[in-house]
Amino acid sequence: MSAPVDLGALVPHLRAVCGDDGVITDAARRRTYESDGITYHAAVPGVVVLPTTAEQVAAVVRLCAERGVPFVPRGSGTGLSAGALPRPDGVLIVTSRMRRILEVDIDAQRAVVEPGVFNLDVTRAAAPHGYYYAPDPSSQQVCSVGGNIAENSGGAHCLKYGFTVNHVLGLEVVTPQGEIVELGGKAADAPGYDLIGAFIGSEGTLGIATKITVRLLRAPEKVSTMLAAFDSMDAGGQAVSAIIGAGMLPAAIEMMDALAIEAAEAAVRCDYPEGAGAVLIVELDGSAHDVDAQFDAVTALCRRAGAFEIRTASDAAERARIWKGRKSAFAAVGRISPAYIVQDGVVPRTALPEVLARIAELSARSGIRVANVFHAGDGNLHPLVLFDDADPGAAERAAEVSGAILDLCVEAGGSITGEHGVGVDKACHMPEMFTPADLETMDRFRRAFDPDGIANPEKLLPTPRLCGERPGVRTQEHPLVASGEAELF
Amino acid sequence: MSAPVDLGALVPHLRAVCGDDGVITDAARRRTYESDGITYHAAVPGVVVLPTTAEQVAAVVRLCAERGVPFVPRGSGTGLSAGALPRPDGVLIVTSRMRRILEVDIDAQRAVVEPGVFNLDVTRAAAPHGYYYAPDPSSQQVCSVGGNIAENSGGAHCLKYGFTVNHVLGLEVVTPQGEIVELGGKAADAPGYDLIGAFIGSEGTLGIATKITVRLLRAPEKVSTMLAAFDSMDAGGQAVSAIIGAGMLPAAIEMMDALAIEAAEAAVRCDYPEGAGAVLIVELDGSAHDVDAQFDAVTALCRRAGAFEIRTASDAAERARIWKGRKSAFAAVGRISPAYIVQDGVVPRTALPEVLARIAELSARSGIRVANVFHAGDGNLHPLVLFDDADPGAAERAAEVSGAILDLCVEAGGSITGEHGVGVDKACHMPEMFTPADLETMDRFRRAFDPDGIANPEKLLPTPRLCGERPGVRTQEHPLVASGEAELF
């Protein structure tokens, strides 16, 4: 890093671009942006801007580029890898005032939106026409489409429908040099390099998406949801293998273990079957005939694997009841533990039983409880590592267990993140998955877009300065409530 | 370009890497590689190598990198944009000896193959387990998976199943600096930049894929194919709009006009309904119940749009008969015209009627016949521009019409290529679709991988030296039979 820049001198220029009310310098207001969904990484941004157009974003970025000032993009601040962690020496560019749905083109089955639009609002705009937007992160009521692009967000239904990258066809992007460029468009395929795929999941290091063209899907004729209770995780896992092995592709297969169920009961009284060692939520969608036929088949496979109770949702209210426990699971863990870490890793589905057994061993050996809530169909684990932050050393032991779980995922041929991204939080784990040549290739790519290193520095790729030390862990009570929400509502 | 390099001095080093029989210097043998599927772009390669392993590919590339020698990758040579056009001053790296299927992992629904494997052989390997590999270019019997990656190949079924990029999960790649790196893997999502998407369709300019992990899909329970005959293209187009508008997603919707039908009849006696101004081939796949229900609906919509005859394939032989005319259409045009140009452009599906009408006007005005064969569902046109190469000036007039068709596609909000790629053939058209800032971004990206510009230079992106002049046109008799096939069979 070169000598610090006088941000104060930048402010009048930022005001000229974004207007007085589009630039925040007041310390108390800046503090509301100090972290995203992972509150144990925190830093007060040097200055916050709230642009309303792509041209304003480009002008702000050019001001930063001219002076070598780093900038950090931020959507709704619900991210879980500290990808939007601000910098005291930089500008935080918040997209919350870019919230227009520009077009819903049902003929072409596309919508065009600004980056600050809430994920669920895309579906709300398409629903009257019988369409929806598929990616559905748990935070979909408040997370932004721009943030989803930065993190390549998934959701419970990405087993069948894929990630954000599978649903975005065109992007208008402000590059780290302040140019506005177009990637892709409404057509299914564009000539030249497909930089959309590379941009999606780039966590703000290649610039800021200012206009987004997404694919809309026809709402399925029927959706059926089932809850199956098993004595053990092993039995539930056998049911998952049997379902996938039979060639079925449910919209979602979610699994929770006894500890996660206990937490959900304590928090939201979801009334799952008593004494369950594991519950499985299976959701099927498609034509009514197919869904009914597959539902019968899934029921039979669950029974054969030892399900002792199977419940079926017959309407939207019952479906919501089944999902309630699952969707509240992260926050619910706060009811059974003063503090916890949400981990996010992937293993090949076939390696699930072994990895879960080894997580249990790890937990027993360390005395640190681990609750498991996960997308079983695609092997995306979300272990919740519980600890008491009043107990000296517990946070460090929990961080160790959490890190060891990632090591297990990598050893099993999986990944250090399924859908939460790398951010600051996991940048130092990247060398566990990639060779120096792999990382050097990524870094060359990054520098092609951002030669001066001002676009969200120190996120995504490891930096020697940071990776010498282990990131700290702080209590995390409400992982999905970002500290900047005051701006949102 | 710097001073020419003495390729002769390179040969002993290449032989040390690939063995004597893996290096071709003989002029007559080199000439068999002078073009790919577009024979009007031709150049004899300086030297040809046939490596058998990734390590050999990397060693060859390093030898090139050390000396600044350009290299051109080539699969089976069936490409239709001169993406594998060799260089007299360079090394042609042919992957035809890397043809092992390394793994078929049915549990994970993945296959791992070498780049020279024929597209159809992936499906052949998966078929006994009830699975298949979805991308199906017309040349699938002989085109290579590595070439499909270079061009992001589609096929008749990409309406429903997408392009190669939607089916590749992991790549081992030799970079232009001779490093072996991994992009992605078996997991659905990988952290870091998703360079797989950018690599797929990069036409050899970012390096050479040496190991490819693809997704296998479960073979559908039922496939039904229908041929509907209409008086006019307009009536056929209305049927297409009605089908898509009803929210159905057939596996394929193909359309041929009267001239294309005439050619197919002359060549393969496909026995399509007499007097048809247009035929539509609609293929549905999925569960038996859904396919049957949709088939009835499609039949009704075709009748309503004016179909005067509808034929249904009741078994594989009848399905093959319906597809026969469509699949032979390109080559068949040789029966009604001494020479022709295959064009490849995309328009938004909703703009199809207008663009087809303007192509007809263009044809009438110029006196150049244009036959239309295309993927109607996704607006991917393949106009065949017919001319007599014995007629002085006809080739130039045909090239002009062909270029004007691309202009129409771009004007309508479409693209200069749907699935054939850019290569040398269309590099000079890129500025019609992209701004200087867009192209500069792509060029920066390219240089990040290939700072010395040795990886398939002058393909994909426009170079000022070449784009001053219009590429020439030569007679093209068998566009799908590459001149290097001697090596293949």
Side-chain angles (χ1 to χ4, degrees), chain B residues 117-136:
Chain B
V117 167
F118 293 147
N119 172 296
L120 193 59
D121 284 347
V122 184
T123 286
R124 287 202 180 110
H129 309 280
Y131 284 79
Y132 75 111
Y133 175 58
D136 61 341

Side-chain angles (χ1 to χ4, degrees), chain B residues 32-392:
Chain B
T32 61
Y33 293 95
E34 70 174 0
S35 70
D36 56 18
I38 287 202
T39 53
Y40 55 77
H41 293 286
V44 179
V47 55
V48 177
V49 296
L50 301 160
T52 56
T53 65
E55 287 68 29
Q56 288 186 5
V57 173
V60 167
V61 169
R62 278 196 303 272
L63 287 169
C64 291
E66 282 160 16
R67 290 161 178 79
V69 173
F71 67 87
V72 175
R74 176 185 163 111
S76 298
T78 53
L80 290 170
S81 57
L85 179 70
R87 294 178 65 102
D89 63 345
V91 177
L92 188 71
I93 302 177
V94 182
T95 60
S96 59
R97 292 190 178 171
M98 299 176 73
R99 199 166 283 161
R100 288 179 304 164
I101 293 179
L102 301 170
E103 194 186 344
V104 175
D105 179 348
I106 293 297
D107 273 347
Q109 303 171 2
R110 306 283 183 257
V112 183
V113 305
E114 290 187 330
V117 167
F118 293 147
N119 172 296
L120 193 59
D121 284 347
V122 184
T123 286
R124 287 202 180 110
H129 309 280
Y131 284 79
Y132 75 111
Y133 175 58
D136 61 341
S138 299
S139 54
Q140 69 179 143
Q141 298 204 342
V142 295
C143 66
S144 70
V145 176
N148 294 169
I149 281 170
E151 301 296 341
N152 190 19
S153 304
H157 295 86
C158 58
L159 171 62
K160 182 168 180 179
Y161 294 103
F163 295 82
T164 298
V165 71
N166 303 113
H167 298 274
V168 174
L169 294 146
L171 289 174
E172 177 190 84
V173 162
V174 172
T175 70
Q177 295 175 306
E179 287 175 324
I180 300 179
V181 302
E182 300 276 345
L183 311 177
K186 280 194 188 178
D189 182 38
Y193 299 115
D194 176 7
L195 296 176
I196 292 187
F199 191 91
I200 294 173
S202 66
E203 304 192 351
T205 63
L206 306 182
I208 302 179
T210 47
K211 197 190 286 180
I212 300 147
T213 302
V214 302
R215 176 186 286 124
L216 300 175
L217 296 185
R218 184 98 175 162
E221 187 188 349
K222 183 164 187 177
V223 179
S224 284
T225 309
M226 148 192 325
L227 180 84
F230 298 86
D231 285 331
S232 67
M233 292 287 276
D234 240 27
Q238 281 171 29
V240 175
S241 292
I243 293 164
I244 302 277
M248 283 183 278
L249 187 59
I253 306 182
E254 301 286 306
M255 202 161 164
M256 294 168 68
D257 70 5
L259 196 52
I261 298 168
E262 180 193 330
E265 287 296 347
V268 299
R269 302 205 132 284
C270 52
D271 197 27
Y272 284 174
E274 234 172 288
V279 295
L280 214 58
I281 298 173
V282 183
E283 191 156 279
L284 297 161
D285 68 6
S287 74
H289 178 275
D290 278 16
V291 166
D292 291 344
Q294 292 202 352
F295 205 81
D296 293 345
V298 169
T299 305
L301 292 171
C302 284
R303 290 255 181 246
R304 198 172 310 157
F308 66 83
E309 187 172 339
I310 293 181
R311 292 183 194 165
T312 305
S314 62
D315 59 23
E318 285 185 26
R319 180 173 322 127
R321 205 144 47 235
I322 287 180
W323 275 106
K324 193 178 177 188
R326 166 65 186 88
K327 291 209 170 170
S328 62
F330 286 11
V333 164
R335 301 298 288 263
I336 61 164
S337 177
Y340 63 95
I341 300 168
V342 182
Q343 191 45 282
D344 168 47
V346 181
V347 298
R349 204 191 56 252
T350 45
L352 265 179
E354 196 205 321
V355 172
L356 288 171
R358 293 185 63 188
I359 291 175
E361 275 169 35
L362 201 64
S363 169
R365 209 163 50 231
S366 64
I368 297 276
R369 292 186 301 168
V370 179
N372 284 294
V373 180
F374 58 100
H375 308 312
D378 44 12
N380 186 184
L381 301 174
H382 289 311
L384 297 151
V385 182
L386 315 187
F387 65 98
D388 182 353
D389 50 329
D391 174 5

Side-chain angles (χ1 to χ4, degrees), chain A residues 243-405:
Chain A
I243 293 164
I244 302 278
M248 284 184 276
L249 188 60
I253 307 182
E254 302 285 306
M255 202 161 164
M256 293 167 70
D257 69 6
L259 195 52
I261 298 168
E262 180 193 330
E265 287 296 346
V268 299
R269 302 207 132 281
C270 52
D271 197 28
Y272 284 175
E274 234 172 289
V279 297
L280 214 59
I281 298 173
V282 183
E283 191 157 279
L284 296 161
D285 67 6
S287 73
H289 177 277
D290 278 17
V291 166
D292 291 344
Q294 291 201 352
F295 206 81
D296 293 344
V298 169
T299 305
L301 292 171
C302 285
R303 291 256 182 245
R304 199 171 310 156
F308 65 82
E309 187 172 339
I310 293 181
R311 291 183 195 166
T312 305
S314 62
D315 59 24
E318 284 186 25
R319 180 174 322 127
R321 207 146 43 236
I322 287 180
W323 276 106
K324 193 176 176 190
R326 165 65 185 89
K327 292 208 170 170
S328 62
F330 287 10
V333 165
R335 302 297 287 265
I336 60 163
S337 176
Y340 61 96
I341 300 168
V342 181
Q343 191 45 282
D344 169 46
V346 181
V347 298
R349 205 191 54 253
T350 45
L352 266 179
E354 195 205 322
V355 172
L356 288 171
R358 293 185 62 188
I359 291 176
E361 272 168 38
L362 202 62
S363 169
R365 210 164 49 230
S366 64
I368 297 275
R369 290 185 303 166
V370 179
N372 284 294
V373 180
F374 58 100
H375 308 312
D378 43 11
N380 187 183
L381 300 175
H382 289 312
L384 298 150
V385 182
L386 315 188
F387 64 99
D388 182 353
D389 51 329
D391 174 6
E396 289 67 27
R397 287 202 309 278
E400 244 169 66
V401 168
S402 178
I405 290 175

Side-chain angles (χ1 to χ4, degrees), chain A residues 8 10 83 102 104 112 122 134 142 183 225 264 268 342 420 441:
Chain A
L10 186 61
L102 302 170
V104 175
V112 183
V122 184
V142 295
L183 310 178
T225 308
V268 299
V342 181
H420 294 175
T441 300

Side-chain angles (χ1 to χ4, degrees), chain A residues 25-43:
Chain A
T25 55
D26 173 70
R29 287 185 66 203
R30 280 188 285 126
R31 190 174 305 281
T32 62
Y33 294 95
E34 69 174 2
S35 69
D36 56 16
I38 287 203
T39 52
Y40 55 78
H41 294 285

